[in-house]
Amino acid sequence: MTISAEPRHGLGSRLAALARVVDLGQGRVDPELLDESTQLLLRAGNRLKLSPDHTVVALAGGTGSGKSSLFNSVSGLELSPTGVRRPTTARTHACVWGLEGAAPLLDWLQIQWRHRFARASALDKGESQLHGLILLDLPDHDSIRALTDTEADRLITAADLIVWVLDPQKYADAATHRRYVTELAGHDAVTVFVLNQIDRLSPEDQAICVADLEELLAREGVANPKVVATSASTGKGIDSLKAVLAESVSMRRAGYLRLEADLDKLMVRVAKDMPEMLRVEPAVDGARRAGLTDALCDAVGAPAVGEAIENVYGVRSVDWVGWPYARWAAALGRDPLKNLRLGDVKEDIRALVSGSVQAQPAEVDNAVQALADGLSQGMPEIWQDSLRDAARSRAGQLPTVLTDELGEIAPPLDRVPFWWWLAKIWQYLLVLLFVAGLAAFGAILAYGVFDAGEPPVKLLGEVSVLPWVGLMMASVLGLGLLTAVASRNFIVLAAGKERDRLERDMRRRVATVAQELVLEPVERELQRYNDYHEALNTARY
């Protein structure tokens, strides 16, 4: 039998990748599969540390298959008790060709000392090709004792090479095929089938049974079944079986091949829910970052706050840079804000003035959900769920944090720009000039026109000055109105800049909060997904 070409290289790397799969798959992969993966890692670690010069071959079979007789025939000694009507192998017996270094391996296999036998003398009988073989005679897997004793199952899992011993009457036994053979499909390189007791068959029936068994095995997924026909009682086929065992022993690769076969089978199951896993960009792209920031800004009402600030800026400026006469006239109204016709924004202004900035939890949740849905498209469902969970892991803090953070940047509404002071001084200076002109105009009328008496200043009696005083008063009024209009234009520009500054500051803070509470957990999960993808591919191939 040709066991295999050179075994797949990189078993150590694949096992290391499997360890990463177990670590990264917590909460995302079936816990039963993770437990099986952990058990395989433990078994592989133990086996690889033990003697690589020995090959563990397990003879497994049901009651009456002649397994113990075959064990004795291969070993050349009566080591294992045999029986016809009932199982007689209660505990595993081991025959070792070459004892050096075998003890730790036998201890790991939990073979009792009294059931260990050595065939050092076999080297003198032309059997040196079997040096390094540890042959195990397992308890019958279908015995009554097997219902409570899992020794056979444990050693079938631990052995490097499994030899299934079948008899002509029960070689198609459903218990063996369904429970073991089917489960070991894909382990062709480390599985041998022995059709024992062929001395009970004619040559024609023997050929039919072998062909039927090979066809049955092929249907069960054994791609290249190797069947050896033997008779423990006559010795027929024993040399062929020894040749198979000798080839496996000489290659000293059966242990690696068995672990690789177990790993291959396990990885098919681990990867079945994500057959086309593809890497994703681990960093959230700029467009989605901006989209999340926009949505959170809307949730916290940043545009409305900016608009309110702009309006508040304009309303407050009236008291400083407006033409005083117009302001005094407007003051006769009940509410200066009414003149702005702000509607609902008026309440926003009042809320802003009182320092109230509130994030809406429902809108925040919708923004986070939209981000997670966009990023998880095309990912396996379990990873979509984990990405959504990561996005929401700290999202519950968002409304409070955003409210607190933005509450700190509300502009000081009592702040007065320096140029407002200059404008106000200038306007009141113009008011004084107008009042002075008005007084001079009245005095000239009184003293110069109506001759009310001697003027305190000669100029106040000159009627010819009256047009110039009127021109001065008109100029002062025009200059005041021009100043008010120019100031208003400057106010509009400044209010817009104030709004832009506030919205930029709010957006910057919202982006910082989003990065810390949403994007960082999401990017960690995306990186975990990529790491899992890489580890899974390494473990699979």
Side-chain angles (χ1 to χ4, degrees):
M1 169 185 173
T2 300
I3 297 241
S4 172
E6 189 70 17
R8 183 183 301 169
H9 295 289
L11 177 60
S13 298
R14 295 184 67 200
L15 291 173
L18 178 60
R20 290 280 290 158
V21 167
V22 172
D23 180 47
L24 297 170
Q26 296 295 328
R28 297 154 183 80
V29 179
D30 184 354
E32 183 177 345
L33 288 177
L34 295 182
D35 289 342
E36 290 185 34
S37 300
T38 301
Q39 293 301 316
L40 176 57
L41 288 169
L42 291 173
R43 178 160 57 84
N46 290 329
R47 181 63 186 94
L48 293 174
K49 287 188 298 185
L50 297 170
S51 175
D53 296 327
H54 287 85
T55 301
V56 180
V57 178
L59 296 180
T63 304
S65 62
K67 173 171 52 61
S68 296
S69 298
L70 191 64
F71 176 80
N72 292 335
S73 295
V74 173
S75 64
L77 301 171
E78 292 295 324
L79 302 178
S80 188
T82 61
V84 178
R85 297 185 177 180
R86 61 184 179 85
T88 55
T89 306
R91 290 295 176 187
T92 301
H93 292 68
C95 184
V96 183
W97 280 257
L99 279 174
E100 185 177 356
L105 183 53
L106 291 169
D107 290 340
W108 176 65
L109 295 170
Q110 300 177 29
I111 308 299
Q112 297 177 1
W113 280 94
R114 66 177 180 274
H115 295 147
R116 300 180 186 182
F117 306 95
R119 276 307 311 267
S121 61
L123 300 178
D124 298 329
K125 299 181 179 180
E127 293 187 357
S128 60
Q129 72 274 15
L130 295 179
H131 183 71
L133 171 64
I134 298 179
L135 186 64
L136 305 180
D137 180 19
L138 306 187
D140 301 329
H141 67 78
D142 57 354
S143 68
I144 296 176
R145 185 180 183 85
L147 296 177
T148 57
D149 191 345
T150 60
E151 183 171 351
D153 289 345
R154 177 177 61 80
L155 291 172
I156 287 172
T157 300
D160 300 332
L161 178 70
I162 304 172
V163 177
W164 287 102
V165 182
L166 308 171
D167 67 87
Q169 294 181 331
K170 296 191 298 181
Y171 67 84
D173 178 52
T176 299
H177 288 263
R178 183 174 59 251
R179 184 177 175 186
Y180 296 104
V181 177
T182 302
E183 287 299 314
L184 289 173
H187 288 62
D188 305 15
V190 289
T191 308
V192 177
F193 298 91
V194 171
L195 184 63
N196 197 25
Q197 302 175 0
I198 59 170
D199 55 293
R200 300 181 180 181
L201 302 174
S202 66
E204 294 78 8
D205 290 339
Q206 175 184 331
I208 293 174
C209 284
V210 170
D212 187 48
L213 176 57
E214 289 178 307
E215 182 180 352
L216 175 61
L217 294 173
R219 289 199 304 268
E220 292 175 336
V222 183
N224 299 294
K226 179 60 180 180
V227 179
V228 179
T230 64
S231 172
S233 60
T234 66
K236 185 177 180 180
I238 299 299
D239 289 340
S240 297
L241 179 58
K242 284 184 178 181
V244 170
L245 301 181
E247 183 179 3
S248 177
V249 170
S250 64
M251 290 179 62
R252 304 194 189 286
R253 296 292 187 187
Y256 292 94
L257 293 173
R258 173 62 194 271
L259 291 173
E260 286 210 331
D262 289 344
L263 181 56
D264 288 341
K265 185 174 182 63
L266 177 63
M267 294 315 300
V268 169
R269 296 170 58 202
V270 172
K272 69 176 181 179
D273 294 330
M274 46 191 73
E276 297 180 358
M277 282 187 63
L278 300 176
R279 287 183 58 85
V280 298
E281 182 59 43
V284 178
D285 60 90
R288 286 194 171 92
R289 285 174 177 271
L292 176 63
T293 301
D294 289 341
L296 292 178
C297 284
D298 290 340
V300 83
V305 171
E307 183 179 357
I309 283 293
E310 185 176 19
N311 287 318
V312 168
Y313 195 96
V315 169
R316 292 184 63 249
S317 69
V318 172
D319 293 334
W320 291 87
V321 300
W323 184 227
Y325 297 111
R327 185 169 67 253
W328 294 334
L332 297 176
R334 288 179 302 171
D335 189 348
L337 293 179
K338 280 188 174 180
N339 297 328
L340 297 176
R341 298 180 181 179
L342 298 177
D344 293 338
V345 178
K346 172 181 172 182
E347 296 304 320
D348 293 336
I349 297 174
R350 296 194 183 280
L352 183 63
V353 172
S354 65
S356 174
V357 180
Q358 295 291 330
Q360 301 301 315
E363 295 185 24
V364 169
D365 185 68
N366 289 339
V368 173
Q369 179 70 33
L371 174 73
D373 289 344
L375 289 171
S376 63
Q377 288 184 0
M379 295 173 65
E381 183 176 354
I382 187 66
W383 284 95
Q384 290 184 13
D385 293 340
S386 68
L387 188 62
R388 294 189 188 100
D389 292 342
R392 293 195 186 100
S393 62
R394 302 184 64 189
Q397 305 173 35
L398 271 174
T400 300
V401 174
L402 285 173
T403 298
D404 294 343
E405 186 75 13
L406 298 183
E408 295 178 0
I409 66 170
L413 298 178
D414 57 349
R415 179 172 58 85
V416 178
F418 179 70
W419 75 271
W420 285 16
W421 284 98
L422 295 178
K424 189 168 188 176
I425 293 172
W426 171 249
Q427 291 284 36
Y428 276 102
L429 179 61
L430 293 177
V431 168
L432 291 175
L433 287 175
F434 181 80
V435 170
L438 186 62
F441 193 87
I444 292 172
L445 286 177
Y447 294 114
V449 176
F450 298 109
D451 198 17
E454 188 67 24
V457 179
K458 184 178 180 179
L459 187 63
L460 294 178
E462 297 291 335
V463 177
S464 60
V465 178
L466 192 62
W468 294 103
V469 173
L471 179 61
M472 183 272 291
M473 293 174 60
S475 298
V476 167
L477 286 176
L479 188 57
L481 290 175
L482 182 62
T483 301
V485 171
S487 297
R488 187 59 186 169
N489 290 334
F490 283 119
I491 287 294
V492 171
L493 293 175
K497 291 181 179 180
E498 184 70 13
R499 175 178 181 169
D500 292 342
R501 183 202 62 78
L502 177 65
E503 290 187 355
R504 284 196 304 271
D505 199 9
M506 293 181 71
R507 184 178 179 84
R508 177 181 58 79
R509 297 213 179 193
V510 167
T512 300
V513 171
Q515 174 67 28
E516 180 181 353
L517 298 185
V518 179
L519 295 176
E520 286 182 3
V522 164
E523 288 179 338
R524 283 196 297 269
E525 188 64 20
L526 290 174
Q527 186 59 55
R528 182 170 185 156
Y529 173 84
N530 282 339
D531 291 344
Y532 181 86
H533 170 263
E534 182 178 353
L536 181 64
N537 281 342
T538 302
R540 289 176 68 182
Y541 307 114

